[in-house]
Amino acid sequence: MESAMKKTLCLCFLLLPLLTLATHNRSGEITYRQTGVNTIELTITTYTKISPPSIQADRPNLQVQWGDGTPEETVPRTSIDPNLGSDIQQNIYVATHSYPGANPVPGQPYLVSMAAPNRNDNILNINGGNSIGVQFYLQTEVFLFNPTFFGFNSSPILLEPPVDFGVVGEIFQHTPNGFDPDGDSIAYELISPLRDRNSIVPGYQQVTDIAPGGSNQYTFDVITGLFTWDAPQRAGEYNIAILVKNYRKGQYIGGIVRDIQIKIENAINRPPQLEVVADICVQAGELIEFDVIASDIDLPLQIVTLTATGGPFQVTTSPATFNSVSGTAPPGFPLRTQFRWQTVCEHIQQQPWQLVFKAKDSYTLTGRDAS
């Protein structure tokens, strides 16, 4: 314990000010957790359009390929949330599956996948906007080891939802904010959305190819998964995809393809401003405490909501605390709340802990939440 206490924990912070803002598939991903020697519990999470006529394509079941030669299986929906606003519904499908054994070829995973008709229409950077006929496809690689030597393996959990919002002319940022419950390392790769295995969607363009120019650029951080678009030039819906890659002791142990939809609106509204400490390193056992502050210069006054996600909230031993708060935040009278984490030796890991803080305003656009 004495030597462990001298090791350090590092945290990196991502500050994401947000501007709120038939067929039907918008975005989603497949994750899993290992529940037995060769058994996993699979979770498919999709986000769909529900306004008519898209609601007619609502799917209470999805078809899953397990990647081990067994027949395709029908997986029922286990929960639904149609009240996310902005014509978005969350759907969750859960199933269990037992494989014949650990991965048959070292370094070669079981590839779990699902495909469903189709994407919602008018995605600007897919097939020239004619995206309604383009199949929606997700896949995840499942690695199973001999648990006697390597233990169980579960995929990372993605803590930020894969539908995000921005405004023309303002910087847009998104990260999946992955957390690995096994303590494995995570890296990210920006890829093209897929319509099937090894097949990208037709007519795919980078988001910056729509109204291109010097003021329309993007960057991508392979360590944090932060996609920064500076800045959207045309209102509409766009899709990108990120491969969330998992490593254990330097060995690649699977990837999640996350399909992300970005909804860009025309609005005269500026994002709230965030103040938080820079990235920090502490010794295990130290208490971390700091305030997160948000202000909003727009008039009339809007309601600002401060939230946070990240691995420190997911751990079972001594999790972090952060009370989300809402209220007006004019200059000189900002909104303030505290992050607090009593670290312990169990929190030591090679990769920095990642936290995402968001400030969301209540600007209303055509009667919809536009944060």
Side-chain angles (χ1 to χ4, degrees), residues 173-188:
Q173 292 184 304
H174 176 86
T175 173
N177 196 13
F179 164 71
D180 190 274
D182 304 320
D184 297 322
S185 298
I186 299 173
Y188 302 88

Side-chain angles (χ1 to χ4, degrees), residues 128-356:
N130 186 26
S131 52
I132 196 168
V134 178
Q135 181 168 262
F136 181 70
Y137 173 85
L138 299 171
Q139 69 178 42
T140 288
E141 296 170 316
V142 174
F143 267 75
L144 301 177
F145 303 104
N146 184 328
T148 302
F149 301 103
F150 298 102
F152 283 3
N153 180 45
S154 298
S155 71
I157 302 167
L158 308 182
L159 301 175
E160 288 294 316
V163 180
D164 217 337
F165 304 87
V167 165
V168 170
E170 297 285 352
I171 295 175
F172 167 86
Q173 292 184 304
H174 176 86
T175 173
N177 196 13
F179 164 71
D180 190 274
D182 304 320
D184 297 322
S185 298
I186 299 173
Y188 302 88
E189 180 183 346
L190 188 65
I191 63 173
S192 301
L194 301 173
R195 64 175 175 181
D196 209 338
R197 184 174 182 176
N198 299 321
S199 179
I200 68 171
V201 295
Y204 182 68
Q205 297 175 280
Q206 299 296 334
V207 295
T208 50
D209 291 334
I210 308 301
S215 57
N216 189 357
Q217 306 292 325
Y218 78 84
T219 59
F220 183 72
D221 190 317
V222 298
I223 304 299
T224 64
L226 183 64
F227 177 84
T228 301
W229 184 5
D230 185 9
Q233 298 298 305
R234 183 181 300 174
E237 294 173 346
Y238 302 77
N239 275 66
I240 62 173
I242 293 176
L243 177 63
V244 183
K245 300 186 288 187
N246 210 197
Y247 294 86
R248 181 173 297 181
K249 297 181 179 179
Q251 178 185 349
Y252 178 75
I253 56 171
I256 301 169
V257 172
R258 162 170 266 204
D259 200 298
I260 301 159
Q261 184 160 97
I262 304 168
K263 295 168 67 69
I264 301 297
E265 300 278 6
N266 281 310
I268 302 174
N269 189 49
R270 288 161 292 188
Q273 300 298 307
L274 273 167
E275 296 179 44
V276 69
V277 298
D279 298 352
I280 59 174
C281 291
V282 301
Q283 290 187 347
E286 290 186 16
L287 175 65
I288 301 174
E289 283 184 306
F290 57 82
D291 285 347
V292 180
I293 303 169
S295 59
D296 190 8
I297 64 175
D298 283 323
L299 294 173
L301 294 178
Q302 301 174 41
I303 299 299
V304 174
T305 302
L306 268 176
T307 60
T309 59
F313 303 111
Q314 302 295 317
V315 296
T316 55
T317 302
S318 190
T321 59
F322 180 91
N323 293 322
S324 297
V325 293
S326 296
T328 58
F333 299 92
L335 197 63
R336 183 188 303 263
T337 190
Q338 186 183 69
F339 172 85
R340 188 179 190 276
W341 192 22
Q342 178 60 63
T343 65
V344 295
C345 291
E346 288 90 335
H347 298 154
I348 296 169
Q349 63 177 27
Q350 290 185 340
Q351 194 170 37
W353 293 86
Q354 181 171 296
L355 293 164
V356 174

Side-chain angles (χ1 to χ4, degrees), residues 5-40:
M5 291 293 287
K6 293 180 180 178
K7 295 184 180 180
T8 60
L9 298 93
C10 295
L11 296 91
C12 64
F13 306 100
L14 298 178
L15 312 181
L16 302 185
L18 290 182
L19 292 164
T20 317
L21 299 171
T23 135
H24 65 314
N25 287 292
R26 294 186 181 278
S27 60
E29 74 266 347
I30 302 172
T31 56
Y32 70 93
R33 66 183 183 95
Q34 190 171 356
T35 58
V37 174
N38 298 313
T39 301
I40 65 168

